[in-house]
Amino acid sequence: MRKLTTLLLAACALLTYSCNKPGNKAQTQPYAINGVDDIQIKQGEDDSWNLEVRSIGPVYETVTLSITGLPQGVTATMTQSSGQPTFFSTVVFKNTNALPGSYPCVLTASSPEAGASTYNFMLKISNPILCGLIRNYTGYTSCDTTKFLSNIIATAPPIEDSINIVQINNFANHGLNVKANIDCATSTVDIPLQWFNGNTVSVVGSGTFTGGASMSVNYTITVNGSPTSCTLYLQPN
């Protein structure tokens, strides 16, 4: 009986030591991160976080931030990717041409002694309005490479799976606001013949655009009966 009691006491002592030895003690993270939220962006749009990496002690060490899981076509740029808490970082998510969908992503904060903490979030990309064309552009033409500003606006609420009419402002740097038919299914643009300045100026043309909303249009502008044919190039700002 005494031998059995001795063995039980020894086993309990070993168990107590193994549970309390330093290598098995839980590490409390000495920092907390505020500002992580789901991101929802259309093609060509940006969204951002304003993160606070806050010190809660008792360990004070450098914390490094990283993001994984972003789809191709989306980037995340940090104003500060590492530092000793408390510090702040603005994270800008930019979507150039990612496919629509929901993507699970992870923000990881790591430090040498405390290890890593993960913060899950969803990146949601919705279908862009009118193929992503409603935005500001920098343009130039084959007849004049001087760059100028332009933009495309919708003239009516967009109708999906249909040809929509948009307005290209400052068309080819002529100061004309030109109507165009947009077909997202074929990535084509058609500019029907239209007149300006008391029917002394006309514009007609057609072209194509890409998923990133870059556009090229072959057009003819006629001023007082004198036609000129050029190609207009628009690049998103």
Side-chain angles (χ1 to χ4, degrees):
M1 183 67 178
R2 179 180 297 176
K3 183 176 181 181
L4 178 60
T5 301
T6 301
L7 289 173
L8 289 173
L9 289 173
C12 289
L14 179 61
L15 180 62
T16 301
Y17 172 75
S18 65
C19 291
N20 291 304
K21 64 181 180 180
N24 283 352
K25 291 179 68 176
Q27 172 66 54
T28 301
Q29 295 292 17
Y31 53 83
I33 297 181
N34 298 323
V36 179
D37 201 356
D38 289 345
I39 295 292
Q40 184 162 349
I41 44 180
K42 296 183 177 70
Q43 193 175 83
E45 289 187 343
D46 298 347
D47 199 358
S48 63
W49 288 337
N50 292 314
L51 298 182
E52 178 192 30
V53 185
R54 181 167 52 89
S55 173
I56 55 178
V59 178
Y60 299 93
E61 57 181 352
T62 298
V63 176
T64 300
L65 305 176
S66 62
I67 293 176
T68 56
L70 298 177
Q72 184 177 357
V74 174
T75 59
T77 304
M78 301 182 186
T79 56
Q80 186 171 347
S81 59
S82 65
Q84 190 170 78
T86 297
F87 68 89
F88 299 87
S89 181
T90 298
V91 186
V92 177
F93 295 85
K94 185 174 182 62
N95 176 15
T96 55
N97 57 359
L99 294 175
S102 296
Y103 301 88
C105 302
V106 179
L107 170 71
T108 301
S110 57
S111 59
E113 184 173 340
S117 293
T118 56
Y119 300 79
N120 298 321
F121 66 97
M122 292 297 296
L123 173 68
K124 302 175 183 178
I125 300 176
S126 56
N127 287 310
I129 298 175
L130 285 181
C131 333
L133 294 176
I134 307 304
R135 57 201 302 177
N136 297 321
Y137 295 86
T138 297
Y140 65 95
T141 74
S142 59
C143 297
D144 184 355
T145 57
T146 302
K147 292 185 177 180
F148 61 89
L149 297 179
S150 179
N151 70 318
I152 297 178
I153 63 173
T155 61
I159 302 174
E160 291 190 20
D161 301 323
S162 179
I163 295 177
N164 287 266
I165 301 175
V166 301
Q167 180 173 293
I168 306 175
N169 292 326
N170 190 27
F171 183 87
N173 208 25
H174 293 296
L176 305 175
N177 299 331
V178 173
K179 297 292 193 299
N181 299 318
I182 299 299
D183 189 342
C184 291
T186 59
S187 298
T188 56
V189 52
D190 175 66
I191 298 175
L193 178 65
Q194 49 203 286
W195 294 87
F196 304 90
N197 299 344
N199 292 338
T200 61
V201 177
S202 68
V203 174
V204 65
S206 62
T208 61
F209 54 88
T210 67
S214 298
M215 180 181 291
S216 62
V217 178
N218 298 315
Y219 71 95
T220 297
I221 182 168
T222 301
V223 181
N224 295 323
S226 298
T228 302
S229 294
C230 307
T231 302
L232 167 67
Y233 301 97
L234 294 177
Q235 297 291 333
N237 287 349

